[in-house]
Amino acid sequence: GGEARCTRCGARIYRRGSVDANQRALALTIAACILFLVANAFPIVGLEMQGKHTSATLVGAVMGMWDDGARAVATLVFVTTILVPAAELVGVIWVLLALRRGNRGWGAVPMLHFIESVKPWGMVEVFVLGLLVALVKLTHVASVQPGAALFAFGALMMLIAAGAASFDADAAWEQLEAGR
């Protein structure tokens, strides 16, 4: 329950999370997993240009880039917007479920190390921002109809941020160490 305050202005810099904070993080992460599935199952956007309508999912766009020879870009998009966020979400759920059960759980410590190491590579926020900029630019060329996945990615971005803010890694490490 302790907290750290700035010696200059007295503002709270860090507050020790509670078990309740990690329960909140678990709920937010499960919700993010559901939105992640929705975001990857439905089309992101529909475009209509010269009477032709086309739409694609994120996986379809990655496969299209791969088929068109842009393999480096396709790999980068796949890793940063699909693989790493999925692995991070599953890893956080794994660790939080182990903590909720009150034991170390198989692989919880390596998973927590893994989560910390892949965090910089999950770029859902960058993807959503780039997508919105591209859609604004496309409105001059084609008719743009946002798909369900676009809204799911926006909500996913918010849930990932809220889950990360709720997750107290220090408390998780302490609880895992106590379970030794």
Side-chain angles (χ1 to χ4, degrees), residues 17-173:
S18 63
V19 173
D20 190 40
N22 280 341
Q23 296 300 323
R24 186 173 30 259
L26 178 61
L28 289 167
T29 307
I30 290 171
C33 279
I34 293 167
L35 274 176
F36 185 79
L37 293 173
V38 170
N40 285 295
F42 291 97
I44 297 172
V45 68
L47 296 174
E48 190 170 329
M49 192 164 97
Q50 298 176 349
K52 290 187 179 181
H53 180 78
T54 185
S55 63
T57 63
L58 180 57
V59 175
V62 168
M63 289 173 26
M65 285 186 280
W66 185 271
D67 292 341
D68 289 344
R71 294 193 169 160
V73 175
T75 302
L76 187 63
V77 170
F78 176 76
V79 168
T80 60
T81 60
I82 298 173
L83 183 65
V84 169
E88 188 177 350
L89 290 171
V90 169
V92 169
I93 288 173
W94 183 299
V95 170
L96 290 174
L97 285 175
L99 293 175
R100 183 173 181 172
R101 286 192 311 261
N103 60 14
R104 280 183 67 116
W106 180 82
V109 171
M111 188 61 73
L112 203 48
H113 281 292
F114 172 76
I115 292 165
E116 293 298 321
S117 68
V118 298
K119 255 184 197 171
W121 291 99
M123 301 197 181
V124 173
E125 302 86 0
V126 175
F127 170 72
V128 170
L129 183 62
L131 185 63
L132 292 175
V133 169
L135 290 178
V136 168
K137 297 283 186 185
L138 277 174
T139 57
H140 300 293
V141 178
S143 174
V144 178
Q145 296 97 23
L150 181 64
F151 298 106
F153 270 115
L156 174 65
M157 183 178 69
M158 300 298 180
L159 281 177
I160 287 175
S166 296
F167 181 61
D168 188 353
D170 293 332
W173 280 116

